Amino acid sequence: MHKTPKPGEDALDVAAPPGFDAQAIPVHQVCTHDQKVSPKFLDPQALKERLQNPPPWEPEITDENRHVIATDIIAKRQAAGKVTRAAVLIPLLLKQAGLSVLLTQRTNHLRDHAGQISFPGGRMDPEDLSPEDTALRESWEEVGLDPKLVEIIGNLPEYLTVSGYSVTPVVGLVQPQAEYALDAFEVADVFEVPLHFLLDPANHQVRLWQSEQGGCRFYSMPYENRFIWGATAGMLRNLYHLLKV
């Protein structure tokens, strides 16, 4: 849908202004005609094997992060200390009814991505030895997810955000807990969404935001009274791309 910018090519700065209401942006397209994911990848073992032995595939570049993809832009941001390494856990809960994804609702006062729906995770600390360490530590700190209940089964490609984060999505199979201990400063709520819903392209909306700088497309995946969009939707879209091939 979107081409990768050439190195040095100018690109739209799509950072949303304060108070930006993504849900109010009109739906431009629904991905109804995109290839569906085989139902076999809703099975934990098949999904694990695909992540650990992936076929050739390409992550999707969206307007939400395309302007930080060009190599020279990444190099400039790194030299200026503007790229922050981070990791998130994509927690796939092993439920009797099938796999579900555990998501968090961020509190409204945070500096970055306030109020948005996200995976548990955050920036890498100096003592973290790997993105997996970061994802497990942050999941414990944010929602009280016991690392002993998580089986890491693979990573998705790094996802660059307009807020200057280089995020490694770490995928894990998780034994559900009876309850979660939320960090009240960062996490307002935690909830589950069936994996089959998030992998169905018929639930993937493309919204088109028109600003003074031009148009910007981003993905959204509304579920019941939750509005999943931005980087979280972009990472889920990449999981979809990995599993559809």
Side-chain angles (χ1 to χ4, degrees):
M1 182 180 295
H2 305 295
K3 69 180 182 69
T4 303
K6 300 176 182 178
E9 181 180 33
D10 290 336
L12 176 67
D13 182 355
V14 295
F20 178 73
D21 184 2
Q23 198 164 358
I25 304 302
V27 175
H28 176 72
Q29 175 187 347
V30 180
C31 303
T32 309
H33 300 296
D34 285 7
Q35 180 179 334
K36 292 184 178 296
V37 171
S38 170
K40 73 178 182 180
F41 290 119
L42 297 177
D43 174 77
Q45 186 59 37
L47 194 153
K48 177 179 177 179
E49 291 173 1
R50 171 53 61 91
L51 276 160
Q52 296 181 349
N53 299 283
W57 72 288
E58 292 291 334
E60 185 172 1
I61 307 303
T62 67
D63 288 352
E64 193 272 336
N65 68 0
R66 69 169 48 240
H67 76 289
V68 293
I69 295 298
T71 302
D72 62 328
I73 295 177
I74 294 174
K76 288 176 183 178
R77 287 194 168 209
Q78 288 175 331
K82 293 182 178 179
V83 173
T84 302
R85 297 291 177 186
V88 298
L89 181 67
I90 301 182
L92 303 179
L93 299 177
L94 296 160
K95 307 295 287 287
Q96 188 171 4
L99 292 171
S100 285
V101 181
L102 186 71
L103 291 164
T104 72
Q105 181 95 38
R106 293 167 64 83
T107 52
N108 289 324
H109 61 261
L110 296 176
R111 184 183 66 178
D112 293 324
H113 309 290
Q116 291 187 21
I117 289 170
S118 67
F119 301 110
R123 68 183 65 199
M124 292 187 70
D125 283 352
E127 60 268 25
D128 292 336
L129 300 179
S130 66
E132 291 82 1
D133 284 349
T134 301
L136 291 175
R137 175 184 56 76
E138 286 281 345
S139 296
W140 168 252
E141 293 174 358
E142 289 186 358
V143 299
L145 181 61
D146 187 346
K148 299 186 186 69
L149 301 179
V150 183
E151 178 191 1
I152 301 297
I153 61 172
N155 295 349
L156 294 177
E158 289 187 3
Y159 190 94
L160 297 166
T161 73
V162 295
S163 52
Y165 287 88
S166 177
V167 184
T168 299
V170 177
V171 184
L173 297 175
V174 180
Q175 297 290 341
Q177 295 182 184
E179 57 185 27
Y180 298 94
L182 307 187
D183 177 347
F185 181 80
E186 293 191 28
V187 181
D189 197 10
V190 65
F191 64 99
E192 303 171 17
V193 181
L195 180 63
H196 69 80
F197 177 92
L198 295 170
L199 291 182
D200 187 346
N203 299 320
H204 301 175
Q205 301 175 344
V206 178
R207 299 194 178 224
L208 181 59
W209 170 40
Q210 295 289 352
S211 72
E212 294 180 355
Q213 296 172 299
C216 167
R217 298 179 183 218
F218 61 88
Y219 280 104
S220 63
M221 303 173 184
Y223 176 74
E224 296 182 347
N225 63 334
R226 310 285 186 170
F227 189 72
I228 304 163
W229 72 286
T232 302
M235 294 178 208
L236 287 167
R237 182 76 178 171
N238 279 340
L239 179 60
Y240 156 78
H241 282 299
L242 171 61
L243 297 178
K244 77 176 184 183
V245 293

